[in-house]
Amino acid sequence: MPASTDLAAHPLTHWTGPLGLPDFTRIGDGDFATVFDAALKAHEAEIAAIADNSEAPTVANTLAALELSGQALDRVSSIFWCKAGANTNDTLQALEREVSPKMARHFSAISMNEKLFARIDDLYQRREKLGLDAETLRVLEKTWKGFVRSGAKLDAAGKKRLASINEELSSLGTKFGQNVLADERDWALFLDAPDLAGLPDFLKSAMAEAAEMRGQKGRYAVTLSRSIYEPFTTFSERRDLRETAWRAFTMRGQNGGASDNTAVVRDMLALRAEKAKLLGYDSFAALKLDDTMAKTPKAVHGLLDPVWQKAREKAAADQAEMERLAIAAGSNEKFAAWDWRFWQEKLRAEKFAFDEAELKPYLQLDNVIAACFDVATRLFGITFEEKKGIAAWHDDVRTFVVKNADGSERGLFLADHFARPSKRSGAWMSSLQSGYRLGDGAAPVIYNIMNFAKPPAGEAALLSVDEAKTLFHEFGHALHGLLTEVTWPSVSGTSVSRDFVELPSQLYEHWLTVPEVLEKHALHVATGKPMPKALLDKMLAARTFGAGFATVEFTASALVDMAYHARAEAPAEPLRFEAETLAKLEMPDTIAMRHRTPHFGHVFAGDGYSAGYYSYMWSEVLDADAFSAFEETGDAFNPALAKKLKDNIYAAGGSKDPEELYKAFRGKMPTADAMMEKRGLV
Ligand SMILES: [Zn+2]
């Protein structure tokens, strides 16, 4: 065996860098492939040892052994996925395509391991008699359920069928995404200078670049990328062109020919319904919601239905105002879907003449970081101390030691703020190591990745309000990882259900706009003066504008997603079903779904948000309700409430049922009231 695969000594799996980090100076991209192979083998051997153990199953020799297995694989994976996202190159990208299916096969083999499941099942059947604490009992139940949902209880024929359904679903999901991409790539509307009435400069230059990329230098292209389509339909004074673009956008994936998704969707829905039945569930939604906070389609409707009502009322009122504006401007056309964004922008300009650029000089990156830390100190008592000169995956990365109130070390926080070509877009939180107590335990090593524009040397980086919110958002996720106080690795930090995971992050955003936080940290880059309150108020007031439209387009998509999946039998003609569902809902004909079925990537390009698109709004309900708990006390840092928040939300991970956790913090389940108020719907 070459030295590079000695897991006990390799820098990818044996971390000898400063502060217990990997020694990034000794990690080469060429090392990953061999270390992955060795780590996969090592994990297989560990699993076999657990499954083949001749002793009777115990929590220690089965559940704990399983949880603590695969540590070398965890380590190499965490570094690999960090680099693949934040500082990639051709070598890593090629490796990514190899590693993903290998990992999928590896973990699917574990969940299909009959001897291993027999031991878990044995513990599960005796669970009430084992004298387990609540967290261990939950981990045992979750583990058992995970096996069952992967088909562990099916007979050989059932297992085979499930495997082929999963495989078919995965290739259909890929095809779905590629079809949408093909339609988006193949459509463009080429315009010339006289066609550009009303368009702002940033859009004109984006359209010029898009035309040049398509071989039409000197012209302007409307494309179906949201970053061009949305501003075009917002600003173009050419109603005919807005209509053309709108029709193309809403018909993506439904244009006939090779890229048409109609049959793909029909097949996927049928396979999902079959899968649910095979695993003993009433519907695919029942299967997917089983381990969420919402738990049932009924609970999802309990949230969405009242919101739908209010959103339609608000949208209708907005439309009436826009129609008045249009008539006053001399338009005599019937108000249509391709008019909405255009007149909404005119209405916005009339009501809130306001430039977000005024705020930017007050939001210096270093000050916003300080504000994030300051809020965490005031709420949760932890502090952050920067360590300079620590090598990481890129020179821009900053490293902070996180300390408890008594000065003891809690973990590490790494932050990588600036955009570069080797980093994928977006912002995210992840970990190099999650925190837990089982076995020797581990301290959390959490990181945040941002994509802010890097300022010239010597200048301060300035953020937009959205960017500052994003920083708070991802830092909220980071706190979920850093404050974790659980025993079992599988319920550490952000290992919670899809409709609960955005609570710690979205909730944290609220503290950015708490006046005393801004007074202290939002200081003008030139004058050092704090942001005027009037400026902030104007910005906040403008934010709820257009909520009727946004909520209708979102909620329609969430309701159709749920309608498809909450049935035992899949509809034979999905697009007819979509139309019938919308008719029943009394969808306004001047607004389209945010994602129509043939291009609803969240739901069909893979399985991520199928029967789960509602979760975005569910989380928003939670964060609005949770922050209003602080507002009700009149103190955004109320110490008693902050302690409850830490103990039950940020520290608890997935160690308890999310509903139980939320109630322990808030005293009751949330209602949608605070969310609707925040959105300006009531
Ligand atoms: Zn998030």
Side-chain angles (χ1 to χ4, degrees):
M1 205 194 275
S4 61
T5 53
D6 180 2
L7 298 175
H10 196 282
L12 277 170
T13 45
H14 179 60
W15 293 358
T16 56
L19 308 171
L21 285 166
D23 183 352
F24 281 94
T25 63
R26 291 174 57 216
I27 292 173
D29 294 342
D31 293 352
F32 282 107
T34 49
V35 175
F36 257 119
D37 284 342
L40 283 164
K41 274 213 188 72
H43 193 206
E44 274 164 25
E46 286 171 298
I47 296 293
I50 302 167
D52 296 338
N53 192 340
S54 56
E55 288 166 34
T58 63
V59 165
N61 74 17
T62 301
L63 192 64
L66 182 61
E67 288 259 336
L68 293 171
S69 71
Q71 290 194 356
L73 187 57
D74 286 348
R75 289 196 153 189
V76 59
S77 299
S78 69
I79 299 174
F80 178 73
W81 292 113
C82 173
K83 288 195 72 171
N87 197 16
T88 194
N89 54 46
D90 291 345
T91 310
L92 293 177
Q93 282 184 338
L95 199 54
E96 229 181 306
R97 290 190 288 272
E98 240 173 78
V99 167
S100 302
K102 254 190 208 173
M103 295 287 269
R105 273 198 300 278
H106 175 74
F107 286 104
S108 143
I110 294 175
S111 62
M112 291 287 181
N113 185 319
E114 293 184 5
K115 283 193 269 180
L116 181 60
F117 177 64
R119 296 179 70 85
I120 296 288
D121 192 43
D122 177 80
L123 290 172
Y124 177 80
Q125 302 305 338
R126 294 186 286 127
R127 64 192 182 283
E128 302 299 344
K129 291 174 218 132
L130 295 172
L132 304 177
D133 62 86
E135 186 184 331
T136 305
L137 179 63
R138 183 169 160 84
V139 169
L140 174 57
E141 286 173 347
K142 275 172 78 89
T143 306
W144 182 85
K145 262 196 179 176
F147 273 92
V148 171
R149 289 158 62 93
S150 312
K153 285 185 74 161
L154 297 176
D155 60 14
K159 280 196 176 106
K160 209 175 143 207
R161 181 64 194 141
L162 183 64
S164 98
I165 291 176
N166 284 339
E167 215 167 288
E168 246 181 290
L169 277 174
S170 133
S171 66
L172 284 169
T174 306
K175 190 165 190 317
F176 182 97
Q178 289 173 348
N179 284 345
V180 177
L181 214 61
D183 275 12
E184 289 177 352
R185 188 193 54 214
D186 294 346
W187 190 93
L189 176 63
F190 292 99
L191 303 177
D192 297 301
D195 307 319
L196 307 183
L199 305 188
D201 287 341
F202 82 88
L203 180 57
K204 283 187 206 164
S205 56
M207 286 168 63
E209 203 179 306
E212 192 177 338
M213 270 168 55
R214 288 163 177 77
Q216 301 240 21
K217 193 170 162 48
R219 304 189 74 192
Y220 301 85
V222 184
T223 69
L224 298 181
S225 141
R226 241 181 227 282
S227 62
I228 287 186
Y229 165 78
E230 283 190 359
F232 183 79
T233 47
T234 301
F235 293 107
S236 174
E237 286 171 13
R238 285 280 300 276
R239 190 169 190 261
D240 58 330
L241 300 179
R242 294 201 308 266
E243 179 177 353
T244 306
W246 182 87
R247 289 193 186 281
F249 192 76
T250 50
M251 289 300 282
R252 286 169 297 146
Q254 196 190 340
N255 291 307
S259 65
D260 196 288
N261 270 330
T262 312
V264 177
V265 167
R266 184 199 58 212
D267 293 350
M268 288 186 83
L269 290 172
L271 287 164
R272 284 173 177 171
E274 187 189 345
K275 176 175 175 171
K277 205 178 279 174
L278 196 59
L279 292 170
Y281 288 87
D282 290 342
S283 67
F284 188 72
L287 166 67
K288 289 285 289 193
L289 291 169
D290 190 33
D291 66 346
T292 61
M293 182 171 176
K295 294 188 185 72
T296 63
K298 191 167 167 256
V300 173
H301 278 284
L303 158 70
L304 294 179
D305 294 351
V307 174
W308 177 244
Q309 201 54 39
K310 286 275 179 258
R312 278 166 57 236
E313 285 166 18
K314 182 74 168 64
D318 287 351
Q319 183 175 330
E321 264 194 280
M322 289 188 282
E323 279 170 341
R324 233 182 308 122
L325 210 60
I327 289 166
S331 161
N332 49 14
E333 312 273 2
K334 185 176 177 316
F335 195 86
W338 45 90
D339 293 322
W340 196 292
R341 286 181 197 278
F342 179 78
W343 289 108
Q344 184 164 283
E345 174 56 24
K346 296 260 182 283
L347 192 60
R348 192 194 69 84
E350 188 187 273
K351 285 193 163 177
F352 305 99
F354 175 69
D355 184 0
E356 287 224 4
E358 284 177 66
L359 292 165
K360 215 166 172 161
Y362 293 97
L363 298 170
Q364 301 175 58
L365 173 62
D366 280 347
N367 289 359
V368 181
I369 294 170
C372 272
F373 290 169
D374 190 21
V375 169
T377 305
R378 292 187 64 184
L379 287 172
F380 307 127
I382 54 171
T383 54
F384 295 78
E385 189 182 303
E386 183 159 12
K387 295 279 177 198
K388 300 267 189 191
I390 308 284
W393 56 90
H394 188 276
D395 288 347
D396 281 350
V397 179
R398 295 169 67 176
T399 303
F400 302 86
V401 175
V402 186
K403 292 188 171 169
N404 293 310
D406 64 7
S408 58
E409 285 186 15
R410 161 163 286 279
L412 297 177
F413 174 63
L414 288 77
D416 181 1
H417 296 115
F418 298 122
R420 54 179 170 262
S422 65
K423 196 191 269 189
R424 76 174 157 85
S425 60
W428 63 96
M429 164 275 191
S430 191
S431 64
L432 291 177
Q433 177 170 284
S434 47
Y436 59 85
R437 296 196 202 95
L438 192 69
D440 297 335
V445 180
I446 307 294
Y447 62 87
N448 274 173
I449 309 280
M450 303 288 147
N451 264 292
F452 303 144
K454 194 170 184 169
E459 280 181 35
L462 299 178
L463 305 185
S464 69
V465 177
D466 276 340
E467 287 172 329
K469 276 206 158 184
T470 303
L471 193 80
F472 267 69
H473 179 101
E474 297 307 331
F475 190 70
H477 282 307
L479 288 173
H480 203 186
L482 288 166
L483 290 168
T484 202
E485 291 282 356
V486 302
T487 299
W488 293 83
S490 67
V491 293
S492 172
T494 53
S495 302
V496 298
S497 67
R498 190 176 53 184
D499 58 3
F500 193 70
V501 72
E502 296 299 327
L503 169 60
S505 53
Q506 291 180 179
L507 174 57
Y508 208 69
E509 289 176 32
H510 290 266
W511 275 279
L512 170 64
T513 46
V514 166
E516 56 189 289
V517 173
L518 287 170
E519 273 156 32
K520 186 167 165 196
H521 298 284
L523 307 176
H524 195 281
V525 62
T527 65
K529 291 217 171 86
M531 179 187 291
K533 174 108 179 23
L535 186 61
L536 175 73
D537 287 347
K538 222 161 75 169
M539 187 268 295
L540 292 177
R543 294 215 136 210
T544 61
F545 180 75
F549 174 83
T551 312
V552 165
E553 64 161 13
F554 172 88
T555 311
S557 294
L559 287 166
V560 168
D561 168 36
M562 204 42 75
Y564 274 136
H565 294 106
R567 299 156 48 98
E569 302 296 332
E573 290 180 64
L575 295 181
R576 206 170 98 188
F577 181 82
E578 177 193 273
E580 286 166 2
T581 305
L582 292 174
K584 254 185 256 165
L585 289 168
E586 297 177 46
M587 175 79 175
D589 61 0
T590 47
I591 301 178
M593 295 166 71
R594 184 161 177 84
H595 310 279
R596 282 197 55 238
T597 302
H599 49 256
F600 202 165
H602 297 77
V603 173
F604 295 108
D607 199 19
Y609 277 82
S610 56
Y613 193 60
Y614 79 90
S615 336
Y616 293 100
M617 187 170 275
W618 187 273
S619 302
E620 202 182 316
V621 165
L622 293 179
D623 78 67
D625 185 72
F627 192 71
S628 67
F630 283 91
E631 289 175 327
E632 284 160 17
T633 69
D635 176 5
F637 295 94
N638 183 291
L641 205 53
K643 183 175 183 329
K644 276 192 187 172
L645 181 65
K646 181 180 171 190
D647 293 347
N648 297 296
I649 308 291
Y650 284 91
S655 62
K656 287 184 188 152
D657 182 86
E659 183 178 327
E660 196 184 318
L661 290 175
Y662 193 83
K663 281 188 190 153
F665 156 64
R666 185 66 162 115
K668 58 182 185 319
M669 276 292 273
T671 67
D673 297 348
M675 182 274 283
M676 288 200 277
E677 198 182 309
K678 192 180 115 200
R679 280 198 171 213
L681 295 175
V682 285

